[in-house]
Amino acid sequence: MRRMTILAIAFLPALAADWSDWKTWKYVDQESLKRSFDVPAAGRKLLVDNVSGFIHVTGYDGAQVQVSVQKHIYGRSPEAVQEAKSQVKLDMSQQGSFVRLYVDGPFRNSNGGTSYRGDEYYGYRVNFDYEIQVPKGTELSLHTITNEIVVKRTSGDLDIHGLNGGIDMEE
């Protein structure tokens, strides 16, 4: 009996690691989202307020903000994936020259900030990975907690906030 107890205790860290590391969760759902915004030339601004996932923005000689998003949901169980689908939403909206991409979920507090408790608390993780093309002079306000932010070939004002990933800016 004592030998069984020791074996059970020896395997506990391995079992716990499986539950707490979202990369090992077997239940995955993916979705691709694309949207284009016609924005007037004066005062173009893009806000991306992400939580988990990368943001890549490239300036070009066009007049639209073109957004391509890969949404990846990782869950401990099928129920957790369904819960993530119902609780975590991406708002893609436009007001005049202002385009807003905002991830909302139970990790947001009343002032729009985050109070993220961790993937293991929720039992799921939702990554939004952005590939965005903007007219070169667009003002950018980019925020993410995990993964990198890459900005290329833009000339507008920049407000960049990354916490657990690199920031790479070219041209």
Side-chain angles (χ1 to χ4, degrees), residues 103-114:
V103 175
D104 196 10
F107 40 77
R108 293 287 186 177
N109 54 33
S110 60
N111 67 357
T114 56

Side-chain angles (χ1 to χ4, degrees), residues 25 76 80 83 87 106-108 115-125:
W25 292 344
R76 268 191 253 201
E83 189 173 328
Q87 290 184 344
F107 40 77
R108 293 287 186 177
S115 57
Y116 195 67
R117 296 179 182 170
D119 302 321
E120 57 281 346
Y121 176 82
Y122 296 104
Y124 60 76
R125 178 185 184 100

Side-chain angles (χ1 to χ4, degrees), residues 9-109:
I9 291 171
F11 283 106
L12 280 176
L15 290 172
D18 222 27
W19 282 99
S20 65
D21 186 4
W22 63 270
K23 294 176 186 172
T24 64
W25 292 344
K26 297 176 185 170
Y27 302 96
V28 179
D29 188 78
Q30 298 180 44
E31 181 180 1
S32 295
L33 308 165
K34 289 186 184 259
R35 184 128 181 234
S36 294
F37 299 91
D38 292 315
V39 287
R44 287 182 181 136
K45 182 174 181 177
L46 169 68
L47 166 69
V48 181
D49 194 341
N50 198 18
V51 174
S52 183
F54 65 74
I55 302 171
H56 295 173
V57 178
T58 304
Y60 80 113
D61 292 324
Q64 291 186 326
V65 173
Q66 299 175 350
V67 179
S68 177
V69 182
Q70 296 297 316
K71 178 181 178 182
H72 304 274
I73 300 174
Y74 305 90
R76 268 191 253 201
S77 65
E79 295 80 17
V81 170
Q82 289 304 314
E83 189 173 328
K85 283 183 173 184
S86 70
Q87 290 184 344
V88 181
K89 302 293 182 190
L90 174 59
D91 173 37
M92 294 195 285
S93 59
Q94 177 181 358
Q95 248 183 349
S97 297
F98 177 63
V99 175
R100 179 178 181 247
L101 309 174
Y102 180 81
V103 175
D104 196 10
F107 40 77
R108 293 287 186 177
N109 54 33

Side-chain angles (χ1 to χ4, degrees), residues 120-147:
E120 57 281 346
Y121 176 82
Y122 296 104
Y124 60 76
R125 178 185 184 100
V126 182
N127 287 348
F128 289 94
D129 294 328
Y130 299 84
E131 294 286 346
I132 305 170
Q133 289 188 312
V134 297
K136 285 185 179 175
T138 303
E139 179 182 341
L140 302 176
S141 181
L142 310 174
H143 309 257
T144 193
I145 295 176
T146 66
N147 297 69

